[in-house]
Amino acid sequence: MKTLQITFFLFVFVPLMKSAPPIPQESLQFYEYGTDVTMGSLSQQDYEMQSKDLRKDGTNVSLDTSLRLQGDDSEHDAPPTKDTNLPTCLLCVCLSGSVYCEEIDIEAVPPLPKETAYLYARFNKIKRIAVADFADITTLRRIDFSGNRIEEIEDGAFSKLLLLEELSLAENRLLKLPVLPPKLTTFNANQNRIKSRGIKANAFKKLTNLAYLYLGHNALESVPLNLPESLRILHLQYNNITTITDDTFCKSNNTRYIRTSMDEIRMEGNPILLAKHVNAFSCLRTLPVGTYY
């Protein structure tokens, strides 16, 4: 009888019993402050676990801040900056007597190794060249300061550079030329603001090795005087030259004189009409480039 009762209970009442539904976990939504962007959802359990981790670290960082830091690390990448106070051979590239300091935004000539023979400091922000910049560097053969903001060069800044052969001061803001070293073969001062009064009468007379002289795109009113016999190329284009004398290139008292080294003279872009000064070119093997009529 008891066996029948137990069997009857199992068949009738057990099927009527249902397991209780699982308790849903509350989902927490997080948003970036001031926006409509959801930063993600965390369950109550995840929230408690992250809160414990933060307390263990001993920090006082909010969960919202932690999520933002995890969300986008790229926001904190700062752009690299140029440290112009570094030693020269870290700031520039030093290689076998050559120093390359190009496009690094320096505002003054950096200290150079004593064995430096070639200095390239183009496209910077240098405004002034001082005597002290090259006082102890006597080995320099080439200097290029093109594309700076040079307005002033101290007297004697290049006086000790007895081996210097090439000097470029192109694309600066010079109003006058400095005293040039005696062994120059190439001098480039294109695209400055130089007027004729900014060039001394004997500026080039003693430069007996000078072969290439570039003074184009300035404000010269006349051709520089006492050009050396060694000169092969002379660029004076796009100045304000209005007159030439018979002694500018030739010698008026010597009709047999020929300037044998001169290969090219450019004078286009000046207001002068060259056809009015035929005798000024009588000693040249080729006529200057420019306006004749």
Side-chain angles (χ1 to χ4, degrees):
M1 186 65 181
K2 287 182 179 180
T3 302
L4 291 174
Q5 289 177 349
I6 292 171
T7 303
F8 178 78
F9 177 82
L10 293 173
F11 278 98
V12 174
F13 292 99
V14 170
L16 297 177
M17 298 174 64
K18 296 181 179 180
S19 59
I23 300 174
Q25 293 184 341
E26 182 180 1
S27 177
L28 301 177
Q29 298 288 336
F30 291 90
Y31 299 88
E32 178 71 13
Y33 181 77
T35 70
D36 294 330
V37 180
T38 304
M39 295 299 295
S41 61
L42 292 175
S43 65
Q44 181 68 27
Q45 184 178 0
D46 293 333
Y47 179 85
E48 293 175 357
M49 290 179 65
Q50 292 204 22
S51 298
K52 289 179 181 179
D53 291 338
L54 292 172
R55 288 195 297 272
K56 286 180 181 179
D57 291 338
T59 59
N60 191 25
V61 181
S62 67
L63 181 61
D64 182 59
T65 303
S66 177
L67 289 171
R68 284 200 300 270
L69 291 172
Q70 296 174 8
D72 187 9
D73 291 334
S74 64
E75 293 180 359
H76 306 284
D77 292 335
T81 57
K82 297 179 180 179
D83 186 357
T84 56
N85 294 318
L86 291 171
T88 300
C89 289
L90 291 179
L91 181 65
C92 308
V93 176
C94 300
L95 182 64
S96 300
S98 298
V99 178
Y100 300 87
C101 301
E102 300 180 331
E103 298 183 88
I104 56 174
D105 294 340
I106 53 175
E107 297 182 0
V109 180
L112 299 173
K114 288 190 176 182
E115 69 277 7
T116 302
Y118 305 96
L119 171 62
Y120 302 92
R122 298 180 295 186
F123 309 114
N124 286 291
K125 298 179 181 178
I126 299 172
K127 296 181 179 180
R128 185 172 180 270
I129 297 176
V131 173
D133 291 335
F134 303 113
D136 299 323
I137 312 297
T138 59
T139 54
L140 279 164
R141 295 180 179 274
R142 180 186 299 161
I143 297 175
D144 193 343
F145 283 125
S146 301
N148 279 274
R149 304 175 183 178
I150 300 171
E151 298 178 348
E152 180 186 359
I153 300 176
E154 285 187 1
D155 292 337
F158 303 120
S159 62
K160 293 185 178 181
L161 304 181
L162 300 181
L163 300 179
L164 191 66
E165 296 176 350
E166 299 179 32
L167 175 60
S168 179
L169 301 171
E171 299 178 54
N172 280 282
R173 302 174 182 178
L174 291 172
L175 297 175
K176 63 179 183 177
L177 292 185
V179 176
L180 300 172
K183 290 190 177 181
L184 274 187
T185 61
T186 303
F187 178 61
N188 188 347
N190 280 338
Q191 298 187 33
N192 277 274
R193 305 171 183 177
I194 302 167
K195 295 186 176 183
S196 291
R197 65 172 178 267
I199 301 178
K200 295 180 179 180
N202 294 323
F204 305 109
K205 185 177 183 178
K206 295 182 180 180
L207 304 183
T208 56
N209 295 325
L210 187 65
Y212 306 94
L213 178 58
Y214 304 101
L215 295 171
H217 297 270
N218 278 282
L220 300 177
E221 298 91 0
S222 60
V223 178
L225 301 175
N226 298 314
L227 296 173
E229 293 290 330
S230 57
L231 204 58
R232 295 180 56 191
I233 305 294
L234 175 63
H235 285 189
L236 298 167
Q237 70 274 18
Y238 296 99
N239 278 278
N240 193 32
I241 297 173
T242 57
T243 185
I244 295 177
T245 69
D246 292 349
D247 291 312
T248 300
F249 302 112
C250 305
K251 297 179 180 180
S252 59
N253 59 353
N254 186 356
T255 57
R256 295 184 178 183
Y257 169 74
I258 301 294
R259 187 179 277 272
T260 56
S261 298
M262 188 72 77
D263 293 327
E264 177 183 282
I265 300 175
R266 288 185 56 183
M267 296 190 66
E268 73 272 21
N270 285 280
I272 189 172
L273 291 177
L274 299 180
K276 294 182 177 181
H277 305 275
V278 177
N279 292 334
F281 314 127
S282 61
C283 66
L284 301 178
R285 296 188 299 176
T286 57
L287 292 174
V289 176
T291 303
Y292 284 83
Y293 301 102

